[in-house]
Each structure stands twice: as structure tokens, then as C-alpha cells.
Amino acid sequence: MDDTGGISAMQSAAENGGRWKRRSPIETGLLGRCPRCGEGHIFRGFLTVRDHCEVCGLNYDFADPADGPAVFVQLFACVPGVVFIIMLEILARPGLWVHLAVGVPVLILTTILPLRPIKGWLIAAQYVNKAQEAGTAQLWAKLHGGRPGD
């Protein structure tokens, strides 16, 4: 690792044959870009993961963030929205129509919109950290052309 906390350029070039610049999982994931090349896309739809990158051919079979995005959204993104709606009720006691007009968009903005960037970030982090379930080292090696534990 270099001083900035990222992977050094030399290590990055060695891992991908010098073809792609190594980008951080935050940069690629939040933008929905391929964690290897940074140019292709992770998603086919809003949350549907592609089979592989259309630019570098990285197979996304390793990508399984499971319920991670929903957990992050519930713990960090939804809390401000719900607190806002509760404080609106406590401080202003508006009518039901105000809660519908204000509360529904706030909940949509704090629940639906963060799902895709968070899922992309988790997939990119899985790739960069070579995250895998216990006992799947052979599968990782098969998918990425190396020995288990590399």
C-alpha cells in the first residue's frame, strides 16, 4: 500500500498486466463501474448485476453483497429521514397531507436512491479485498486465474 492508503501503482500494474489504472472501491463502486478496469459497468438494471464487464471481461460471479446494501441503508441513510419526519410531527403537527407530500419523498430519497451506489461499493470492495465465503478459495482461483490464497 502507498501513503494514501491505496494500492501502489506497481502492484496494480502487475495484477492487471499494466492495462488498467487501479481505482479505489469507493470511486468505482459508487459510480457503478467495474472494479478492475473502472470503465465497464457493474449493473445491467437498477440493482441487477451484469454477468461480466463489457470492457475487460471480469466475471462478476464473485459479487454477492447479499443484504449488505439494505443494512447500510437502514442503519445510516434511513435514520435521518425518519428522524426528520418524526421531528416534523413533534414540532409542527402538520396535517396528513403534509406528511404524505413531504414524508414519502424523503423516505424514497433516503431508502431507494442509496441502494445502487452502496451495492456497487460493496461489490468493488469484495473484488479489491478478494472477499470470499469460507471454503471458496478454489472458486476464486478458477474465476480469476490464480492459485488459492493469492
Side-chain angles (χ1 to χ4, degrees):
M1 289 222 173
D2 60 12
D3 294 337
T4 61
I7 296 176
S8 70
M10 184 180 294
Q11 181 182 1
S12 173
E15 287 180 1
N16 64 40
R19 295 181 3 202
W20 299 290
K21 175 187 161 205
R22 176 61 66 131
R23 293 175 175 91
S24 75
I26 294 174
E27 179 185 354
T28 57
L30 294 180
L31 296 174
R33 298 293 185 172
C34 173
R36 185 194 303 173
C37 68
E39 297 172 15
H41 298 91
I42 295 174
F43 300 106
R44 182 174 58 233
F46 182 67
L47 291 175
T48 306
V49 178
R50 291 177 178 268
D51 295 329
H52 64 281
C53 174
E54 72 270 17
V55 175
C56 70
L58 175 65
N59 189 338
Y60 293 137
D61 284 347
F62 69 89
D64 184 20
D67 293 333
V71 170
F72 278 106
V73 166
Q74 288 173 0
L75 292 176
F76 301 110
C78 287
V79 171
V82 171
V83 168
F84 171 76
I85 294 168
I86 291 172
M87 293 305 294
L88 179 65
E89 175 61 28
I90 292 171
L91 297 175
R93 296 223 175 252
L96 180 59
W97 70 272
V98 174
H99 280 294
L100 291 174
V102 175
V104 171
V106 166
L107 288 177
I108 288 172
L109 289 173
T110 60
T111 57
I112 304 299
L113 293 182
L115 281 175
R116 183 179 170 135
I118 291 172
K119 186 172 184 175
W121 166 61
L122 290 174
I123 290 170
Q126 284 179 324
Y127 175 78
V128 168
N129 295 309
K130 297 182 181 178
Q132 56 193 358
E133 292 183 30
T136 60
Q138 297 294 333
L139 176 62
W140 181 268
K142 179 181 171 189
L143 293 173
H144 299 287
R147 294 186 329 254
D150 283 345

